[in-house]
Amino acid sequence: DSGVTQTPKHLITATGQRVTLRCSPRSGDLSVYWYQQSLDQGLQFLIQYYNGEERAKGNILERFSAQQFPDLHSELNLSSLELGDSALYFCASSVEHRTGELFFGEGSRLTVL
Amino acid sequence: GQQLNQSPQSMFIQEGEDVSMNCTSSSIFNTWLWYKQDPGEGPVLLIALYKAGELTSNGRLTAQFGITRKDSFLNISASIPSDVGIYFCAGQNGGGADGLTFGKGTHLIIQP
């Protein structure tokens, strides 16, 4: 158990819809990262927050947005969903904001039909 | 963007054998990391490397940070059934401003 909690574990929705994925980082970790894992693209970095502020942006689509709240939990919002958005979405956390030593959650599997 | 070429894509080995996998990049990384992912789980950090030429062990696992900063390898000695899974290399640039760049993974399958 990494200490990172993600909900929901599975989500099935239709094209055009909007979903919100939630992440609670390990106790004491200030940094939260979102990654997308798909069969063809592998693990892709989406976005990082540190203590409530956006720190780094990766290959995140404009239809996607994220935020980190004062209690340090984070949400990833995916809108106008397309079939190609079906993937595993991982949240990870770390104490520092410049480290590669991440603790990953179990992921949220999104299926868009 | 940066890409990591990880090989082999998959390995079928016998229990007790040693395993070797590697990762190469066209650009330099300041940090190399190796993660393992089991089915239904998120990746778990195995080893982190911070200096070119560094050789680091974690139990039966040994990883090296290539001297050119463009490659890294991971060795597993005397493989056991619980070593089954997908191993990912990851690179990070100085400051961590760009997140981690992951390889596509090496799928390790152990035949009893």
Side-chain angles (χ1 to χ4, degrees):
Chain A
D1 182 4
S2 67
V4 178
T5 304
Q6 289 188 247
T7 57
K9 290 198 184 316
H10 301 276
L11 191 54
I12 301 174
T13 188
T15 54
Q17 295 298 305
R18 171 189 169 96
V19 299
T20 297
L21 309 180
R22 183 189 167 100
C23 169
S24 294
R26 287 190 324 156
S27 176
D29 285 359
L30 300 178
S31 211
V32 168
Y33 310 74
W34 287 97
Y35 282 81
Q36 180 193 58
Q37 186 177 39
S38 61
L39 280 175
D40 54 343
Q41 295 293 324
L43 271 161
Q44 296 281 317
F45 169 64
L46 296 179
I47 198 164
Q48 177 197 1
Y49 281 83
Y50 178 77
N51 204 19
E53 293 191 5
E54 182 184 306
R55 277 291 170 141
K57 223 169 186 175
N59 301 320
I60 188 166
L61 300 173
E62 284 192 12
R63 300 183 286 108
F64 296 179
S65 64
Q67 53 184 329
Q68 186 180 27
F69 295 86
D71 66 353
L72 301 178
H73 92 270
S74 178
E75 292 181 355
L76 179 67
N77 301 297
L78 315 174
S79 61
S80 303
L81 285 168
E82 302 175 359
L83 296 177
D85 297 328
S86 295
L88 259 173
Y89 291 85
F90 284 105
C91 171
S93 73
S94 65
V95 175
E96 303 290 335
H97 68 275
R98 292 187 170 188
T99 180
E101 299 186 22
L102 307 183
F103 293 85
F104 282 82
E106 294 186 344
S108 293
R109 181 173 292 282
L110 173 66
T111 302
V112 182
L113 301 176
Chain B
Q2 295 172 315
Q3 287 190 332
L4 296 185
N5 298 308
Q6 190 172 348
S7 64
Q9 281 189 337
S10 57
M11 301 182 74
F12 293 80
I13 64 165
Q14 301 283 338
E15 184 177 347
E17 286 185 20
D18 295 344
V19 171
S20 185
M21 59 190 78
N22 67 78
C23 211
T24 60
S25 171
S26 57
S27 52
I28 289 171
F29 286 104
N30 291 323
T31 302
W32 282 93
L33 308 107
W34 287 89
Y35 283 83
K36 182 192 178 203
Q37 185 176 20
D38 291 330
E41 306 285 332
V44 173
L45 179 66
L46 299 174
I47 292 178
L49 302 154
Y50 296 100
K51 283 177 60 174
E54 179 182 356
L55 186 71
T56 297
S57 292
N58 178 6
R60 293 178 296 105
L61 277 60
T62 302
Q64 184 157 28
F65 190 147
I67 199 73
T68 65
R69 298 188 170 195
K70 292 184 177 181
D71 61 344
S72 177
F73 73 74
L74 175 71
N75 286 342
I76 306 172
S77 63
S79 58
I80 60 177
S82 62
D83 291 334
V84 166
I86 304 176
Y87 291 79
F88 291 97
C89 61
Q92 184 184 41
N93 285 321
D98 300 322
L100 295 179
T101 299
F102 279 89
K104 290 289 179 73
T106 293
H107 194 173
L108 182 61
I109 298 161
I110 299 178
Q111 299 164 329

